């Protein structure tokens, strides 16, 4: 049987705190047990605070992708114009959903090491009257980049456009705010910066988005993809549309509690500090970062170009098998071009950063890459702003 | 904070063994970690043995209902004739999915305390040439009844009809066999007789069902509802269509291991023995069972008519709040007519049966219902065949 | 590998709540980690409240027996007269310790189905001037009996005698109070009515007892048996005499928290209600209780005489191996004469009582003993006073 | 509530694997449950293999110190001559026990940064005819040094002397062998290199030691300090002398299983490799090691002299409170002179070593100590021999 890794420094699912893991081992309750109903409601309350929103929140019982498809399925109808912002693999992927539900895609794309310029969004909306929805990815985990959702959201709202934003790996790395950022459907997940387990999609729905779902012709109901079911059945009627994933809800409650104990602002500052230190460490090793500019580098992962002469398998395979540190490869079309050093959730910590870089350095050196052992760790620790 | 119950004797999610709960508290792995890939494959192998099938198995990352909708979404196309068997709430529910995906429903219905007669299926198929799919519920948890799927499946296959069977609460209570029973798409869940946690849909897909999915116009791909994605991406390509629910997979592996250690035959015998004893106990209390005949009573729950003069809230509320035993109400249109004494998974045991009946008796008596305390427990223990 | 039981209804160690078990799976801290120091102190505070005392408490890092021997080792010196009250196996056992440390035993004994009469204690103290210590067992788990410690302690104090009381299975079953009962060294354990795990000895030490330990010639220090080490090193100096059992302390903290959430009075009432119901159930089966009178029957276990024609192995072996219910045999000289139905900690609950009696009845009947199935459970549930 | 640390790099108790922690959360069994009896015996079998011995093993239900005192209590009688080897705090401590049980101490001492020379042992034994016992510490955790027990043990045996060896932090760091090393009573603990939880003392007893215990005048029985009780009661009679610490036994079983899966030789090599790398890292920072020579430096902890101008509180307090890394201070008379970087059990790994050193460097630098950040980590990773 394959040895388990010592450190999961991947791009998600990430390490989960022992406390959350213990919470997930609580006895399984019947979903209509009064204790579970209470726990579920309390969890929704915590989720609102983590989202920093007064919008309704909805917890879909499947991985974050379910939330993304559900947003499309619940909103987009044949002929609807959707401005899809593409700065990476995930942004591009969304077009599949626009297509499936009959939308008409207007694509605004940049190279995958870049971020969307809000002014381009403005221009696109001006050039394309009648755009109904805008879809965007806050944090493009595959590229290790972030888009300026706040500015984009505001411009969209100025144009009366409803926004759907994938902030799965964004929340926790920045101070997300649906209202402040003009996000009508925010889709998050527990398994990235929040340090939870995968298996749930976390949504915050603005009144405008609810209205759009109710007015969709026809509204999507009686489906695993329906967000409205949760409004009509659960929020208004106290009945679950289907059996919730009890154990995952236990984990989510614990995850959110810990997030709020730290504070969402402190959590964002921490991720950003570790990410900046990681970049300093990588540069000190003479390696190139994938994102074109530091300003758009993600707090959640640091994407590093694979140095000439080395392969993804060599670096990642050795780090995992010999040193017990699991990192992530490039995803989709980026595979083979970069590796990703993760620093999300509880793994966004000086100890795990130092461990990861130390093992990375040694691996590079053992494959003949000219590296001064300790240079990366030293530069990272030197650059690290820590309370 | 509401006190948790002592015993979860509900109609599912049911009690999960401490061993499975511990398995669910293992550290969360990156889904492409070699240790997770190995674990996932091993779990699929265990699932085949639990299904007693050589068909491909697919684990969808959402509650069992996702599997049911996915089957409809992957198979049914506009104009397809679907013979839908309705002997309860769940059977009726399936029509929503037939409608959504454009199928034409031919309904074969019986009262909800009855089961489908296979000969009626034969007659319906003869009367309706061109039926492409048959949908059926093996174990109607809301009614505490079972349908004779083996006979129904064989008749369907004689007519070249592809079958979709919800055996979510059926597997483990009887010796299910997709090949032997003529089931093309079997949909199960861990959270009933298998004693696992909710959050996954377990499917076994016959070659004919795969072919029908591939030939659907168009095939459903790139969707959370797609079963084909798992074939093309995972089975053939080793890539997950999306992030699996790592913790739930840990739980499933442990759940299946324990099922196989007991043996599927022993598990079915155990559920049937406890169910028979439960019925004996209920009858000794002078109460009426909901199912019209013992032959169609489900191994998973015993549905009991609420005695005149008492209410669901009185019985269930008192059992839960005062005595710590959670049982289930009637579901949907059956609400208020019956209560359900659960005996699934590890709760299908003499100790939990006796505890449940003892508390049930005392509750009835305290509300003035004429009951000889001990009569139900005694009759149940007397009737109990136990190895 | 032997199957684990479904219910641990033994005379201790008993079932531990899932919450406590989870607490015991927390990461192991260095014992001088500030978080552990804080946790240890907090646990001592909780222990005081569970003991309902203002006395110092000491947690020895070994099973309760360590606490009993430590009391003897710390107090008794050659020539000291000790009045040892013997109403069972444990009381008799204490003489070994008096002997080891050179004390002179004055024994006051009654048959093992009886309890000590406080007036006999008074007479013994009057007849034996110069008695320095009195040793007594509050709850004689092997006999299922309790001694009237409150009255005994007061009489001892009137005579200036220092008392050592084993209340390992007594605390939680009655409202123990060192001050109110005149107990100078109270020795408890987590693994009985408190529903914790075994491995620690819990002591409450009166000022008089401290003084006696300090004045012992010589005082016992620098030993695993020393109670004074904990005073001098830990209470006064903040240094542990040796490494504490970190995991057991986690478990103790959780155990005590749950005890206090229930309330010590409610806990005692619960144990007594279940014990009374258990006795009613046993009597309804036509069996004889071991204790001579109900007034001295213990809240923690019900000792039942083995019916003629049956053996301990038959009853206990079948209950354990076939039905999954573990109960206890007679201990020491009582072995073969009685069995003990446990109802301590979380197992002092109607559900577990009913389950235990149902399985007991069936076992008796299967061995040919004339029993009306359900009679015991019914009588118990009928007698049960439950809030 | 104080934040828990991220890494426990202390001198023990050390980090425990999640697998062991999960094992410790299994339901608590009655100690005479057949499943527990089986588990206890299996654990003893595992312990023999970890000790690499055919001697009897005894598991005492208290911290390792209990084992050390029990050895003295069970063997030493008034007038017995004991050669006590002192190269550190723990060696000196043993004299308390020799004194308590009436032995006559002959001390062979070296400075606490040195190790015992076997030839000095030979000379001492020749100069002191009639020595009956020799007591020694294998790994002096407080000093980070080891004694050459193999050579010492052989010399003792040549002189017919019975040896008691504290190898609590020695086992796992070197390939201990009671027979090969001439150790009659080996005392180990789970909470150091084996990576288990504290709370048990693990002993291996040679036939000569058993004989000496049986012939002691009087033999020690009926005491928590008695080793003979375990022979007579448990090994020969299948009865526990008192209730074992069920949860701790679960943890021990898991701890030993993992040790044997790794292999005792691989475990020793791993500890030595990490210790050597740690020393290289510390030296690269310009700091001085406490042990006089590398040959006697312990595999379990690296003792480092506190640099002039800095204090223990500054270094350890900052590492713990700001960076989440718990290390150990000097113990007893060594307090304030050194700090100890732990690398025991699962914490003897490159990732934790790098993390610890990175945080140590940064802490030194922030207090103004001239350090090149990364120098220590780099030198350690460079020196690290890893499979």
């Amino acid at each position: 049987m394959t040895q388990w890794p010592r450190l999961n420094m991947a791009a998600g699912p990430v390490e989960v705190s022992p406390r959350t893991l213990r919470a997930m081992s609580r006895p399984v309750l019947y979903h209509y047990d009064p204790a579970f109903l209470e726990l579920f409601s309390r969890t929704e309350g915590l989720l609102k605070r983590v989202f920093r929103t007064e919008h309704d929140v909805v917890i879909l019982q499947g991985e974050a992708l379910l939330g993304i498809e559900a947003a499309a399925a619940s909103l987009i109808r044949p002929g609807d114009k959707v401005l899809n912002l593409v700065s990476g693999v995930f942004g591009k992927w969304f077009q599949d959903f626009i297509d499936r539900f009959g939308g008409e895609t207007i694509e605004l794309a940049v190279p995958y090491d870049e971020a969307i310029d809000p002014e381009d969004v403005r221009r696109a909306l001006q050039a394309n009257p009648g755009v109904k929805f805008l879809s965007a990815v806050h944090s493009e985990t595959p590229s290790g980049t972030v888009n300026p959702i706040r500015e984009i959201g505001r411009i969209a709202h100025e144009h009366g456009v409803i926004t759907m934003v994938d902030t799965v790996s964004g929340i926790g790395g920045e101070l997300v705010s649906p209202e402040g950022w003009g996000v009508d459907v925010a889709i998050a997940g527990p398994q990235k910066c929040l340090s939870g387990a995968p298996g749930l999609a976390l949504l915050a729905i603005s009144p405008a988005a609810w209205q759009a779902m109710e007015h969709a012709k026809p509204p999507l109901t009686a489906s695993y993809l329906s967000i409205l079911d949760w409004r009509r059945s659960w929020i208004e009627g106290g009945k679950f549309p289907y059996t919730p994933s009890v154990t995952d809800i236990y984990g989510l409650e614990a995850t959110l509690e810990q997030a709020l104990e730290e504070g969402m602002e402190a959590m964002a500052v921490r991720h950003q500090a570790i990410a900046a230190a990681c970049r300093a460490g990588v540069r000190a090793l003479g390696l190139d970062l994938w994102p074109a500019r530091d300003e758009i580098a993600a707090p959640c992962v640091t994407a590093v170009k694979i140095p000439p002469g080395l392969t993804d398998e060599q670096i990642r395979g050795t780090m995992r098998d010999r040193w017990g540190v699991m990192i992530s490869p490039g995803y989709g079309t980026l595979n083979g071009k970069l590796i990703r050093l993760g620093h999300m959730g509880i793994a966004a910590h000086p100890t795990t950063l130092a461990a990861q870089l130390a093992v990375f350095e040694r691996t590079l050196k053992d494959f003949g890459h000219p590296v001064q052992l300790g240079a990366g760790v030293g530069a990272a620790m030197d650059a690290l702003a820590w309370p």
Side-chain angles (χ1 to χ4, degrees), chain A residues 40 50-51 73 88 95 107 121 132 149 236 244 311 338 340 343 345 363 367 375 386:
Chain A
F40 194 91
V50 162
F51 261 129
Q95 189 172 333
E107 180 177 287
V121 174
K132 196 161 171 190
I149 296 299
E236 296 172 357
T311 68
L338 53 85
R340 290 177 291 162
H343 29 69
T363 300
F367 278 112
W386 199 250

Side-chain angles (χ1 to χ4, degrees), chain A residues 287-308:
Chain A
L287 302 183
D288 294 323
L289 298 169
W290 172 263
R293 294 164 287 132
D294 258 32
E295 295 70 37
I296 63 169
C300 64
V301 294
T302 295
V304 181
K305 291 184 188 166
I306 295 175

